Amino acid sequence: MRIIVGITGASGSVYGYTLIRALHELGIETHVVITEMGEKVMQYECGVSLDMIKQYATIHKNNNLFANISSGSFKTDGMVICPCSMNTLGAIANGVGDTLLNRAASVVMKENRKLVIVPRETPLHLIHLKNMTKLAEAGVTIVPAAPGFYHRPTELWELINFMVGRILDMLTIDHELIQRWGEPQ
Ligand SMILES: Cc1cc2nc3c(=O)[nH]c(=O)nc-3n(C[C@H](O)[C@H](O)[C@H](O)COP(=O)(O)O)c2cc1C
């Protein structure tokens, strides 16, 4: 399998970083593209640099529109944008492909591959909601960065794993990150 992960400047880059490590542990080829603000927020919130991600994935520069993931002829099994800012969400919802991240998302959509967007903002105004609706109508899976509490988490990593596990579910990738409702503990 081959998955693209995009990280933007929304809060919650720990979800994206954990997702990349989980994909690596599952032996899945992962391509990563991070926006300028994505890199800054990830460093600020988690102390994680691009260098730390290099060991888990191939990293592409966001201004390199010549990268393989910029073309539909480069086969992938889908893309996750996690976390996704309202800025990037708006761009993708309106067909903008000016950066590698936006272009890769547009390619995944036009090739009828799986695009999972993990938006993070609160509260949401009407245009955010309309952009999400537009994307959902175009077949994009919207997975809000809003972990459940029904597994009674007591530690932060349990909330993070909940989100990452649900994202992997959307990609139909088997994992053991979450305790599933209705299944024995
Ligand atoms: C610490 C920090 C947290 C932020 N959190 C969010 C957020 O949760 N959602 C959001 O849409 N923007 C958030 N922003 C603003 C985005 O970073 C900003 O809109 C930026 O232009 C997004 O660019 P990008 O889409 O290219 O990553 C945050 C900015 C900072 C500095």
Side-chain angles (χ1 to χ4, degrees), residues 8-11 35 37-38 41 44-45 84-88 120-121:
T8 74
S11 187
T35 66
M37 273 307 285
V41 173
Y44 178 78
E45 290 188 346
C84 187
S85 67
M86 293 305 107
N87 173 60
T88 292
R120 214 314 304 183
E121 185 54 282

